[in-house]
Amino acid sequence: MTIIVFSLLLLASLLPHLTFTAHVNVGIVNGREAKPHSRPYMVSLQTNEEHICGGFLISDEFVLTAAHCRTESEILVVVGAHDLRYSKSSDAIRVKSYIPHPDYIPDTLQNDIMLLRLKKKVKLNKNVKWISLPKKGEDVEGDTVCDVAGWGGTTIGPQSYCLMEAFTTTKNQAHCQRKWGSEFFPSQMICTHGTGGSCFGDSGGPLVCGDTAVGITSFGDPDCFNSPEHPEVYTKISAYLKWIDEQMTLSVYM
């Protein structure tokens, strides 16, 4: 079974074993434009002034994203944006340190999680805020309506530079395992399917249930058609709370 991660930068060869399709210019599937700055935790990861991945603020100094979003080029983190072309409220911040999970496996996308420590703390305001993470032992149940967001295009039109959003529903672990087989790791992953979802360029963005980020966009259907046979897969944040806390605490002494 072929999987595909939702990031344009992978076209450059981060995961050469994957089969890519012609549908490389799409972003949120069956979504709508988000109300400007209604998701102040969202960030755009960019190289050479091009959006490559999503991410989200979890403090005034740290961004959480997918490990497969790491690139050899320097990444700038754009905060406070809605339209990536014209947003006057956005701010591009350099990354002080890249902290991918030490057990990240590119071939299987296990432990597909990375922290970015920013070179300067963000200035919090109505357009720039962090989002809460799950509490210890708190897992999202199946059949929970959640939402995803990201920058990119649509399945029927040219690339959009505005933040898009869509609803999706979590599936129970047995369902995810049936659909993905050995490529799904229940202790580390969540899967969803709904009328909308993620695709290229949305990697690293959050799966949000209520007011909490519970997952990180990782991989899904090769054609980005939101297929029920290939539900979207997210890194389960609750499985990494200890690691996240340890890395953020260590930064105080660095």
Side-chain angles (χ1 to χ4, degrees), residues 227-240:
S227 166
E229 293 305 311
H230 300 95
E232 295 164 5
V233 179
Y234 302 80
T235 303
K236 184 193 296 185
I237 292 175
S238 63
Y240 299 93

Side-chain angles (χ1 to χ4, degrees), residues 3-4 9 25 59 68 74 77 89 105 109 138 140 146 151 154 181 185 188 195 215 222 224 238 245 253:
I3 64 177
I4 194 163
L9 63 89
N25 66 333
S59 79
H68 75 254
E74 180 185 29
V77 177
S89 60
I105 303 175
L109 293 179
E138 185 177 67
V140 61
C146 304
W151 284 274
T154 67
F185 298 86
Q188 304 174 6
T195 56
C224 295
S238 63
D245 184 62
Y253 305 101

